Amino acid sequence: MKAAVFQGPGQPLMIKDVATPAIADNEMLVKVRRCGICGTDIHASREGPFMAPVDTVFGHEFIGDVVEVGSGVPAGIFVPGDRVTSLPFIGEKVIGLGDITGAYSEYVKVGHELVLKVPDALDDNRGALIEPLAVGLHSVKMAEGIAEKDVLIIGAGPIGLACAIWSRFFGARSVVLSEMSPTRMDMARTLGFTQFVDPAGDVGEQFNALTQAAPAVQIECVGAPGILQACIERAPARGVIMGIGVCDHPDEIVPLTAFLKELRIQWAVGYDKDDFQFAIDMMVAGRVDASAMITDVVSLDQVPAAFEALRSPSNQCKVLIDLTR
Ligand SMILES: [Zn+2]
């Protein structure tokens, strides 16, 4: 099958012929319809502690059709033709970040315990947004109580926007985004968010001017050194700081400031199957729609160029690969 294959840091992905995944008894083969290109994939293609092995096929945000069901999959749940998504795991192994061939390809294998059917009411594009929405949902749930709070979201990329969507959903009093890119701000406006602060200025002051409050919950979706301490300084007493952005550099904080305010700093990563199901249900019910995040849909052949373009700031938000083209 055709796949976009990681060649090593500093090199573009290459379209190659690779082996179609062979499924074990408790696995299923899925013909991919759409797969999202994720910041995590870009991150894993760079030199550093998170770099994926050479020959990795990325792609963990996918939707597709079951084409083969292993003999050990409990009968009657999945049949060929079912349109499904899956959490990107089979047991302990990760799909699309090195262990198991991901969905920048024609076929991907999945287990069955973490696989969910996607109702007809969701089109393929929306189906590819289940995973990033589940990331935001899990993060907002981990904040433990967003209702009636004034929320600051730092970074309006796909994950920041997903956190904004769920903060609004769960009843935040205000959802303010810290972002300097005009195109990302426009994207946020399309999704109904109107309050912004400029990270180059005094964020706490701007937030206060908008909400007459300090940010009781701050969701950090950038992951650069220094941001955590800035969050600590502007937090009100007993504020919550959520670490969602991946920072793989040492970062300095002054614990005393956090101590005196009794702050809670909570990291969050990933999601569970309930998060996927809830994201699906709310999209089907029309209560959550993130489709405006999709700024481009490319063919598999266009992936190497699209992936390289996403390395530098661009007008793109969520780019999907259409494997049916
Ligand atoms: Zn992702």
Side-chain angles (χ1 to χ4, degrees), residues 31-294:
K31 189 170 197 313
V32 181
R33 285 172 175 263
R34 296 281 190 286
C35 180
I37 298 179
C38 177
T40 306
D41 305 337
I42 312 265
H43 202 77
S45 74
R46 288 198 202 113
E47 201 96 57
F50 292 111
M51 196 183 87
V54 169
D55 287 337
T56 291
V57 176
F58 296 121
H60 58 270
E61 305 177 356
F62 58 86
I63 175 170
D65 300 316
V66 173
V67 290
E68 201 185 332
V69 180
S71 58
V73 174
I77 304 174
F78 296 105
V79 293
D82 283 345
R83 202 167 56 122
V84 298
T85 185
S86 174
L87 276 70
F89 310 104
I90 304 177
E92 304 282 289
K93 299 205 160 158
V94 183
I95 300 172
L97 284 168
D99 297 337
I100 299 169
T101 301
Y104 289 13
S105 65
E106 292 175 271
Y107 295 91
V108 67
K109 73 172 186 175
V110 297
H112 62 88
E113 286 167 342
L114 299 178
V115 179
L116 300 97
K117 287 187 197 177
V118 179
D120 292 343
L122 283 193
D123 60 28
D124 290 339
N125 285 358
R126 285 180 173 83
L129 296 177
I130 296 166
E131 196 268 2
L133 276 172
V135 173
L137 172 60
H138 178 74
S139 306
V140 168
K141 280 163 70 180
M142 289 289 280
E144 292 184 350
I146 213 98
E148 302 175 31
K149 299 277 173 63
D150 296 295
V151 178
L152 172 64
I153 292 167
I154 299 156
I159 296 305
L161 291 172
C163 289
I165 286 170
W166 292 112
S167 295
R168 177 173 61 195
F169 182 93
F170 286 111
R173 174 168 24 217
S174 50
V175 180
V176 177
L177 289 142
S178 174
E179 179 58 59
M180 60 175 96
S181 151
T183 45
R184 285 187 161 191
M185 288 162 69
D186 281 345
M187 170 67 55
R189 284 190 192 96
T190 311
L191 292 162
F193 299 99
T194 55
Q195 294 189 302
F196 299 96
V197 294
D198 180 353
D202 185 327
V203 169
E205 216 165 77
Q206 297 171 69
F207 189 93
N208 190 272
L210 289 168
T211 66
Q212 285 73 55
V217 179
Q218 299 179 73
I219 307 182
E220 198 285 286
C221 303
V222 174
I227 298 181
L228 202 50
Q229 180 60 23
C231 288
I232 289 172
E233 282 164 18
R234 73 174 78 96
R238 300 209 173 146
V240 175
I241 298 167
M242 297 296 304
I244 313 301
V246 178
C247 179
D248 56 13
H249 291 77
D251 193 7
E252 209 165 84
I253 63 165
V254 182
L256 177 67
T257 318
F259 165 86
L260 291 171
K261 295 182 188 177
E262 296 191 310
L263 301 184
R264 182 155 62 84
I265 302 176
Q266 170 78 57
W267 275 268
V269 63
Y271 29 63
D272 55 35
K273 194 178 177 185
D274 288 345
D275 297 324
F276 265 54
Q277 190 61 61
F278 192 70
I280 292 172
D281 292 347
M282 292 306 98
M283 274 196 278
V284 168
R287 294 171 63 186
V288 158
D289 186 0
S291 56
M293 270 192 217
I294 301 167

